[in-house]
Amino acid sequence: MEKNNNSFHESAQRYLRLFEASQDGILILDYDSGLIEDANPFIVNLLGFSRQELIGKELWEIGMIKDKGAALAAYKVLKSHGFIRYNNLPLQAKDGHDVDVDFTAKVYDLDHHNIIQCLLRHSVNKMPEPNFYGISRIDYDEMANAFSSLIEKRDSYTAGHQVRVARLAVAIAQELKLESHMVDGVRFAAKIHDIGKIAVPTEILTKPGTLNSFEMAMLRHHAQAGFDVVKNMTFPWPVALTILQHHERLDGTGYPNQIKDGEIFFEARILAVADIVEAMTGRRPYRETPGLDTALALIKQGSGTLFDSGIVNACLKVFKNGFSFDMGAGSGSDTHEEDHL
């Protein structure tokens, strides 16, 4: 019983860390009443209501949802189907200005008690196009290149790996017909997804042979370290959580937080597939490359259990259609991770 209690406490602590640091708005609603039970800091900053003003209220009671009738109808759909999604949903901030968001709500079973988790993101097509796709886009590219250069000074394999993973991740995202803004977010996160390896000693990153348990723990810490590097930066995509979750697996066997299926961001699911395929096809200083056929067989075997099946299918299709990594100078890869998954 004590072991189960410890496990529950650890899971709760992991969720709390994700909840508090998320760069998207999260609301937890009571399933039966629709009352707000919790709100994360992002939603507080987005809408201007304090956490105390939100908790215990209905979304339409505080004026957040402008169309009460539509909100009540959506709540009925959510309770009957377990999931709803709206694009460009107009919310009203405390000061009266409108905030357009993409709104997703899903019913979860938490210890035999249903709760509703609402995820709010700024609507993509409501973002000012000249600003984002002009100066801002250049700034993000420069930032990604700067991060990549920083890593390359310590480990050229990791730096090259990120570039190659980004190419595959973008190809997968485009095959999935994702919106261009989301593709840009996948590209940016992939380009810096191993930034946390600046916290890992170089001798561990490049060590030939098997890592001991202590070295493996240090290596696996890179996902959390990467999250810590970028968590306080503002991006128009969930970059920090994508970095944090790119080694998580649908069945909960990944790391660092052993989260499962619905808890893993879609961008992180794409990155997980692209990351392992590149890791098994890139060159290594200490062993033969398993190769593309082995890599694709591995993700196919793990489809639906370790990896998102739709993303696996998209990855297989892009290679069938002729995708290949750039094998020129500067290409490289992770050194140990695919050997310890």
Side-chain angles (χ1 to χ4, degrees), residues 294-314:
T294 301
L296 297 184
L298 179 65
I299 62 168
K300 190 173 182 180
Q301 181 181 2
S303 179
T305 54
L306 300 177
F307 309 108
D308 185 294
S309 58
I311 293 169
V312 168
N313 291 338

Side-chain angles (χ1 to χ4, degrees), residues 17 28 34 41 68 87 125 127 139 169 187 211 213 247 259 275 286 291 313 322:
R17 289 197 299 270
I28 305 298
K68 180 179 178 179
N87 293 324
N125 60 3
M127 298 181 68
D139 289 345
R187 178 187 292 108
L211 300 180
S213 59
H247 280 290
I259 59 177
D275 187 43
Y286 62 90
N313 291 338

